Amino acid sequence: MTRLGRVGAETGAGWRSFVRRRTAVFFTFFFPVILIVIFGALVRTDPTGEGLFTEPPAYYVPGYLAVVVLFTPLSRLGSEVARHRDGNRFEKLATTPLSRDEWLLAQTVVNAVIIGLASLLILGLVIALTGATIAFSPLLVPYVLVGVVCFCGVGAMLGSYTDSQDGAVAASNAIGLPLLFLSETFIALDQLPAWFEPFVNLSPLTYFARGVRAVTYPDAGTPAVAGLDPALANLGILAALAVVTFALGARSIPRTD
């Protein structure tokens, strides 16, 4: 079987495994919907112009998308790798032609399809519930795909280095929640202490948020990067980080248990 055939077969198996778990399917799409309803429809902009959620609704589109681009790969890949370790499935995998990077690529494709569908749902709800005016750009697709690759690599590392499936889920939440709110998604950089800015720049999600905001809400005035267009520059940075995290994630997956 060719490399493409192996990845395709594993992708099909991963997709069937996902759709069979109805609870996982439900919460994958339900969680971001709840956030949009709470933050977008119930929590309104502060009329004094101070505090949180003072920006126009379109400003927070990257944050809503980040919910699935960040949490779905971290939790799904982390728990999937941990589950494979608990069941000694990587030991069996080592006897097949399927390599670790092919296995991770197949899981990433499954996550990309799931998150792509969830992103369409999110964009539709944001427009319907908040009245946000969003500029649709072809660059939005690669941003979502590259973000998925990046955080699938991180999720694979979490599943490889934690001691159990519960530990992987706990670690994904412990890492994901701070990143979600401290990566220029829902909280603007000028609302954070000046000394915290270098830490914001260490987060891959920051470049996702800045780039998505640049392509969906040009009026936000996303700053250029080294004189380059912010939409393309942030995508380039995110892509470089995705290559690194995917390689580290594939390398961390055990050959045997």
Side-chain angles (χ1 to χ4, degrees):
M1 183 180 289
T2 65
R3 182 183 181 91
L4 182 61
R6 293 193 298 270
V7 172
E10 184 62 27
T11 299
W15 175 258
R16 290 190 294 272
S17 175
F18 169 71
V19 297
R20 281 197 298 265
R21 286 179 272 179
R22 296 180 181 179
T23 302
V25 174
F26 177 76
F27 281 103
T28 295
F29 295 95
F30 181 72
F31 182 50
V33 169
I34 286 296
L35 284 182
I36 294 172
V37 171
I38 293 174
F39 293 143
L42 299 180
V43 178
R44 297 293 183 176
T45 299
D46 185 348
T48 65
E50 298 178 352
L52 299 177
F53 297 98
T54 60
E55 301 289 344
Y59 181 89
Y60 301 105
V61 168
Y64 297 130
L65 292 177
V67 173
V68 290
V69 171
L70 173 67
F71 275 102
T72 302
L74 290 188
S75 60
R76 289 200 72 252
L77 257 297
S79 60
E80 192 75 6
V81 171
R83 188 164 62 90
H84 274 57
R85 288 173 55 206
D86 291 343
N88 295 322
R89 295 183 65 180
F90 285 120
E91 187 173 11
K92 300 173 184 176
L93 183 66
T95 65
T96 71
L98 189 71
S99 64
R100 293 179 295 176
D101 62 318
E102 290 172 347
W103 182 87
L104 182 55
L105 177 59
Q107 299 300 321
T108 301
V109 172
V110 174
N111 277 272
V113 174
I114 296 168
I115 294 167
L117 295 173
S119 296
L120 290 175
L121 174 63
I122 288 170
L123 290 174
L125 285 174
V126 168
I127 294 172
L129 296 180
T130 71
T133 302
I134 301 171
F136 289 94
S137 167
L139 285 177
L140 189 58
V141 175
Y143 263 107
V144 172
L145 293 178
V146 173
V148 171
V149 173
C150 181
F151 292 110
C152 278
V154 177
M157 286 186 276
L158 292 179
S160 298
Y161 298 129
T162 51
D163 58 0
S164 66
Q165 189 171 350
D166 289 339
V169 173
S172 68
N173 290 331
I175 292 174
L177 279 173
L179 288 182
L180 180 62
F181 290 99
L182 299 175
S183 300
E184 289 196 54
T185 48
F186 296 106
I187 301 175
L189 190 60
D190 58 10
Q191 293 178 298
L192 297 171
W195 59 265
F196 196 75
E197 182 176 351
F199 296 98
V200 173
N201 292 328
L202 291 176
S203 169
L205 193 64
T206 297
Y207 303 101
F208 173 84
R210 289 173 179 171
V212 170
R213 187 168 290 120
V215 300
T216 60
Y217 183 46
D219 291 342
T222 306
V225 180
L228 301 175
D229 177 68
L232 295 175
N234 283 291
L235 181 59
I237 296 171
L238 184 63
L241 293 172
V243 170
V244 173
T245 58
F246 186 88
L248 293 175
R251 183 178 178 82
S252 70
I253 295 173
R255 294 181 184 274
T256 57
D257 299 290

